[in-house]
Amino acid sequence: MEAMWTLCNPLMRALVARVQAGDIGIPRAFTAMLGPIGLPPGHRVDDPALGGSYILECLVYPLNILAALAPGLLEGAKVTASAVKSANGVDSSAAIQMSSFQGIAAMSGGLVAGAQGAGPSGFQLIGDAGWLAVTDNLVNPGRAQISARGAAVQDLVEPAAEDRYRWEIEEAGCCLRAGLTQSPLLPHDLTLNVLAVMDQALIAARGKVLS
């Protein structure tokens, strides 16, 4: 679970609980946008020898969010991907699409060498009885909206999102004290399912998993 602090974020945990409770029905469609993200020239993410990849560096976050919120959209999914490659052969921008028996998912964005700052990021999940969306920060959400089974749209706010890694540290500590070998927020199967999708996406976008 190292560094995947997004799934320990209190607002994300609340959204997962709402979906698991059936508030939006069966998830049918997921979309996410992450970037553009500016990088200084020569950054490690553009170095194939250091595993440079927009898919590995950034799309791992929406993939984990998807796996936590709607695992059925990953189960048996057909994965396709496309990418724009940098001069070093690294996928600097990419899009991943998935289709499964339950529905569809898509995510995209990119890195811009020599630029600064980052564009807005977010995601939405559409169910057959409602929807939810995060528009302020996909990686570290602090604000969300949800429309559950015909009820008025509800705003969810979690100002404590600024604490960032605190939530993952606390979760890891709780697991250690309880003698657990994995966190229920980030079980091993979730990680393995995400890695399987990432491998398929890298092969589709770059022709191979590793440079």
Side-chain angles (χ1 to χ4, degrees):
M1 63 182 290
E2 190 277 325
M4 193 43 62
W5 49 291
T6 299
L7 298 191
C8 299
N9 173 290
L11 181 56
M12 186 62 64
R13 295 170 71 164
L15 293 175
V16 170
R18 296 289 294 269
V19 174
Q20 291 178 344
D23 284 7
I24 67 168
I26 299 173
R28 296 298 186 187
F30 176 88
T31 58
M33 180 69 182
L34 182 56
I37 300 172
L39 294 176
H43 194 278
R44 61 171 180 79
V45 180
D46 193 38
D47 187 343
L50 297 177
S53 163
Y54 173 76
I55 292 174
L56 291 174
E57 184 78 15
C58 297
L59 290 188
V60 64
Y61 289 99
L63 280 170
N64 271 271
I65 291 169
L66 175 60
L69 286 171
L73 293 178
L74 284 180
E75 187 175 343
K78 177 183 178 181
V79 180
T80 60
S82 55
V84 174
K85 296 180 182 178
S86 71
N88 290 332
V90 168
D91 49 293
S92 59
S93 296
I96 297 176
Q97 304 84 34
M98 286 165 279
S99 60
S100 70
F101 73 95
Q102 187 167 297
I104 58 174
M107 54 198 70
S108 62
L111 307 167
V112 186
Q116 297 185 20
S121 65
F123 67 87
Q124 59 179 253
L125 179 64
I126 299 171
D128 57 13
W131 59 268
L132 62 83
V134 164
T135 57
D136 71 323
N137 189 331
L138 179 148
V139 176
N140 186 30
R143 306 182 70 89
Q145 289 186 316
I146 185 168
S147 175
R149 297 194 173 275
V153 175
Q154 180 183 3
D155 292 312
L156 304 177
V157 180
E158 179 51 72
E162 295 181 0
D163 288 327
R164 295 177 176 267
Y165 286 99
R166 166 189 167 185
W167 308 112
E168 182 186 19
I169 294 168
E170 289 185 351
E171 173 64 13
C174 288
C175 292
L176 290 170
R177 288 190 293 273
L180 301 179
T181 58
Q182 58 182 316
S183 165
L185 302 180
L186 279 143
H188 298 160
D189 285 347
L190 183 151
T191 299
L192 292 172
N193 289 339
V194 168
L195 289 174
V197 172
M198 292 181 71
D199 281 354
Q200 294 178 70
L202 285 169
I203 291 171
R206 295 171 59 169
K208 52 188 175 181
V209 174
L210 298 176
S211 298

